[in-house]
Amino acid sequence: MSYLDFFSKDCLRYIPSSRLSQKKVLVVGCGNGGDCAPFVEAQEVHGIDICDDIGQNFIHDKVQYFQESAESMNRESNYYDLVFSVATLEHIHNLEAAFAEILRVTKLGGLIYCVAAPLWNSYEGHHTYGVFPEFPWIHLRLSPEELIHYIEAREDIGSYTYIGNSTSIQKSALRELLCK
């Protein structure tokens, strides 16, 4: 069972299946869309993310995608009955702003279901498994500028994307894609 299956099932146990069809759902950090799939029985599902491939792997009539940050949403206040977010919060720079937005868009009495992974403690860094085995805790030992320079000097890494504006990589909005 994948983490998404586990957490979506856990989340949905708080909403009787007979009532899901009456609910409006927001998925924060929906990525390529798969995180929205467990909620298609809802009245409507909205997914937000900052990634370029938002929603490309899951298309459904009830699902709409919006490329925006959890820290500054263009969603209506008091609109959603359920806000679901798994494995996203560790990528958000300003958690206070994100949670303020999540609270703002959730109806009074609505359910907010958020789970975050402890990636900041990862030996190999922030989703960089196997890329820097020779340099443990690289994301903690180098500044963002030093890390970018290190990546650029490596010939075996064809391209990368760095999105973030923090001086601390370990808790920044770093979304790093390293492609060979």
Side-chain angles (χ1 to χ4, degrees), residues 15-159:
I15 299 173
S17 58
S18 62
R19 301 178 97 187
L20 184 58
S21 64
Q22 304 163 15
K23 305 296 182 186
K24 296 175 183 170
V25 177
L26 175 65
V27 178
V28 175
C30 67
N32 61 19
D35 287 17
C36 294
F39 304 102
V40 295
E41 298 302 318
Q43 180 180 348
E44 63 183 270
V45 181
H46 291 169
I48 67 163
D49 206 305
I50 62 169
C51 67
D52 289 333
D53 66 343
I54 184 172
Q56 290 182 4
N57 288 359
F58 185 76
I59 306 297
H60 192 280
D61 291 342
K62 290 187 181 178
V63 181
Q64 284 186 294
Y65 298 103
F66 303 93
Q67 191 173 25
E68 58 190 40
S69 170
E71 299 159 297
S72 179
M73 295 185 220
N74 289 321
R75 307 293 98 229
E76 188 177 328
S77 296
N78 303 308
Y79 189 79
Y80 298 100
D81 301 289
L82 168 62
V83 176
F84 178 84
S85 182
V86 172
T88 297
L89 299 177
E90 64 271 19
H91 299 277
I92 294 175
H93 175 66
N94 188 336
L95 288 174
E96 292 83 7
F99 273 109
E101 283 291 275
I102 288 170
L103 286 171
R104 180 185 65 77
V105 301
T106 305
K107 288 181 181 177
L108 184 62
L111 173 64
I112 297 170
Y113 188 97
C114 294
V115 178
L119 288 176
W120 299 310
N121 299 321
S122 171
Y123 170 87
E124 292 196 46
H126 207 272
H127 287 297
T128 58
Y129 310 112
V131 178
F132 304 113
E134 76 287 354
F135 203 147
W137 289 284
I138 190 171
H139 62 301
L140 302 177
R141 295 168 59 192
L142 297 181
S143 71
E145 294 79 19
E146 291 170 324
L147 181 55
I148 290 169
H149 179 71
Y150 183 82
I151 292 168
E152 288 173 342
R154 298 250 322 247
E155 292 181 12
D156 61 323
I157 298 176
S159 65

